[in-house]
Amino acid sequence: MTVEPGTRVLKASAGPDAAETVDAVRAAAACLKAGGLVAFPTETVYGLGADACHGEAIARLYAAKGRPAFNPLIAHVAGVTAARRLAVFDAEAETLAAAFWPGPLTLVLPKRPDCPVAALALAGLDSIAIRVPSHRTARALLDAFGGPVVAPSANRSGHVSPTTPAHVLADLRGRIDLIVEDGPCAVGVESTIVALLGPPTLLRPGGLPREEIERVLGHALLNPAPGETDDAPLAPGMLASHYAPKARVRLDATAPREGEALLAFGDAPAFDGTVLNLSPRGDLIEAAANLFSHLRALDAAGVTTIAVMPVPHEGLGEAINDRLARAAAPKP
Ligand code: TXA
Ligand code: MG
């Protein structure tokens, strides 16, 4: 393909039927077909898409993100029919797909022998992570492209995931071909990842609460054995600080200290310094949607420490606390 300097920004925020959106989606699909890198919105976070069957495009994607090549990617498809061409679905996989797709759930399944996804995208594993996003623009792009699109979160490796087009540009401007803009992401944390390679196992808490999945399955999800977490399927614990801002993060802070910035949840204590509240009314859905943009905003303010108030662990609180723990982990 002809490589244009810089990153083109195309708008899809006027709705799926607007001429501008139709043009943006068509251009993005053509760019993917040519082996290009396209950032696009999903309901969870912005993804950085590449043609899943195009090894060279995937190599460029790892380079653009600065991502360790052993971390496998999620294949995004338009629906369950397309997903069945990539992976073997057992009864529980069918049940979860029927209940939660499209939506913020990724299933890790045995890959089919004839799965066309490039081995590089799967880091050589025999399993494949698949997701059907519900975001209108993601769906339009997958329909127009007509094949699987691998898409990690559209941030430099180790940074927090992007929930707005501005976050994507801050990390990747000039390193990717195109970004399709359609506002902030409604969910705000990445998809929940469930492995169905044995007893159903929660690999990453995310935008779909564990309790909803367990209700549909009729039994509890296992937790991953150490060394099998989402960020380190092959290399135990290596990327514990994956979601790190530059500032130090102090968790379960009931009172902020002088010089800190406060990331509040619910009723915030009176404080002279910078305060951003994940959800003044203590709503976990609102808190998830604000998590990464508030972390980025406090980090951009240049504070050395972000004090984070306690967040309850139920529902989306499991994913929020997981991301906060990673943000607070010692940097590699
Ligand atoms: O919400 C999301 O899932 C976003 C949007 C863009 O779809 N994507 C996302 O991708 O968060 P990424 O690459 O940042 O995270 C995908 C995670 C990685 O931690 C990877 O290790 C795990 O999925 N993963 C992918 N394939 C896997 C597999 N076969 N087995 C176990 N884990 C896998
Ligand atoms: Mg990521």
Side-chain angles (χ1 to χ4, degrees):
M1 65 182 293
T2 49
V3 179
E4 296 177 34
T7 298
R8 276 194 294 162
V9 180
L10 301 179
K11 284 198 188 319
S13 43
D17 300 326
E20 192 181 49
T21 305
V22 173
D23 288 347
V25 166
R26 193 177 296 140
C31 182
L32 289 173
K33 286 213 168 83
L37 302 181
V38 175
F40 64 97
T42 81
E43 70 277 19
T44 57
V45 300
Y46 272 74
L48 177 57
D51 178 349
C53 306
H54 195 308
E56 204 180 302
I58 291 155
R60 288 184 59 214
L61 189 157
Y62 284 123
K65 271 191 65 97
R67 155 171 282 203
F70 50 72
N71 212 356
L73 304 173
I74 297 173
H76 296 66
V77 293
V80 70
T81 309
R84 288 195 201 98
R85 286 186 209 117
L86 308 181
V88 181
F89 277 65
D90 67 6
E92 286 193 307
E94 293 288 354
T95 300
L96 291 183
F100 299 115
W101 281 354
L105 173 67
T106 295
L107 296 178
V108 174
L109 301 169
K111 134 186 132 147
R112 281 175 58 119
D114 57 349
C115 173
V117 172
L120 181 59
L122 306 180
L125 298 174
D126 295 328
S127 57
I128 179 169
I130 308 181
R131 141 165 159 73
V132 179
S134 63
H135 192 287
R136 60 183 186 179
T137 302
R139 298 185 63 72
L141 179 57
L142 290 169
D143 283 338
F145 179 67
V149 172
V150 284
S153 50
N155 51 280
R156 292 293 290 270
S157 189
H159 292 192
V160 295
S161 291
T163 56
T164 69
H167 296 162
V168 178
L169 287 168
D171 270 22
L172 296 175
R173 189 193 284 280
R175 304 177 66 88
I176 63 176
D177 299 293
L178 199 68
I179 166 169
V180 184
E181 286 191 347
D182 189 3
C185 303
V187 175
V189 290
E190 300 86 346
S191 60
T192 301
I193 305 181
V194 172
L196 295 174
L197 304 172
T201 301
L202 182 70
L203 294 186
R204 176 175 76 181
L208 180 65
R210 164 205 290 266
E211 296 89 331
E212 289 191 34
I213 300 167
E214 293 179 338
R215 199 175 314 124
V216 165
L217 286 176
H219 61 79
L221 290 168
L222 299 185
N223 294 311
E228 287 181 294
T229 64
D230 68 293
D231 282 315
L234 305 173
M238 277 189 68
L239 297 178
S241 83
H242 193 77
Y243 297 87
K246 287 184 220 71
R248 208 172 75 79
V249 174
R250 187 167 71 83
L251 299 179
D252 292 322
T254 42
R257 300 172 188 152
E258 209 180 310
E260 291 183 334
L262 179 64
L263 184 61
F265 178 84
D267 289 328
F271 180 52
D272 268 348
T274 310
V275 180
L276 285 179
N277 201 320
L278 290 170
S279 174
R281 61 192 155 95
D283 179 282
L284 288 165
I285 294 172
E286 181 181 37
N290 286 328
L291 178 65
F292 291 135
S293 52
H294 281 13
L295 279 174
R296 277 184 186 256
L298 292 177
D299 214 22
V303 295
T304 50
T305 304
I306 300 170
V308 186
M309 286 175 67
V311 175
H313 285 257
E314 78 265 8
L316 286 186
E318 187 176 13
I320 295 170
N321 279 293
D322 172 82
R323 303 308 185 272
L324 286 170
R326 289 166 197 274
K331 319 248 184 302

